[in-house]
Amino acid sequence: MIIGIGTDLADIRRIEKTLERFGDRFVQRVFTPVEQARSDRRADRTASYARRWAAKEACSKALGTGLRMGVAWREMGVINLSSGQPTIALSGGAAQRLAAMAPAGLTPRIHVTMTDDPPYAQAFVVIEAI
């Protein structure tokens, strides 16, 4: 059963300008250490951060809260399963919100897809209860 859907489109140029202006302060405020390590080793560093930004925005929409009601940027971290498939690990208020959304006896699972076609990055998030 689908319990949440979210999407976001991010302008890579805007993320690039933000990285130039705020640098590490922006990265530390928004991205988890795992996301930072993965993005910083890529040739398309800015596009990688933009895809993850879009995924976090999409996830917050799928949670039905946006970035409020106790859900913060670093509580949503894009990770990869052993297969390489992306998903989002939640902590803190985001994890609490997900737990509250899931019907009794069902386990939530987050599906993520991310892409970019410069100058845009896009992500879709579907939260399923199984």
Side-chain angles (χ1 to χ4, degrees):
M1 148 189 335
I2 294 174
I3 59 174
I5 298 173
T7 186
D8 192 65
L9 181 67
D11 189 324
I12 297 169
R13 297 166 297 190
R14 185 174 64 106
I15 299 300
E16 182 175 39
K17 287 177 185 172
T18 302
L19 284 167
E20 289 170 359
R21 182 171 179 198
F22 297 105
D24 196 49
R25 187 171 135 212
F26 167 69
V27 170
Q28 294 296 321
R29 180 173 171 249
V30 174
F31 300 98
T32 67
V34 170
E35 291 173 307
Q36 292 173 41
R38 189 159 185 102
S39 293
D40 287 343
R41 71 174 180 249
R42 299 187 66 89
D44 64 343
R45 177 180 184 260
T46 303
S48 180
Y49 276 123
R51 287 189 301 271
R52 282 160 177 70
W53 171 277
K56 290 169 180 278
E57 284 278 5
C59 182
S60 72
K61 293 170 185 175
L63 289 170
T65 61
L67 288 159
R68 57 185 176 79
M69 297 175 56
V71 175
W73 289 111
R74 288 178 50 106
E75 294 176 347
M76 300 173 286
V78 177
I79 60 169
N80 294 84
L81 302 175
S82 59
S83 66
Q85 177 184 358
T87 189
I88 297 182
L90 302 180
S91 62
Q96 291 172 355
R97 173 65 185 150
L98 180 62
M101 290 173 63
L106 298 180
T107 303
R109 180 176 294 163
I110 301 174
H111 303 277
V112 180
T113 185
M114 302 180 296
T115 191
D116 66 75
D117 188 6
Y120 300 106
Q122 185 175 33
F124 287 94
V125 171
V126 175
I127 301 175
E128 171 185 35
I130 53 174

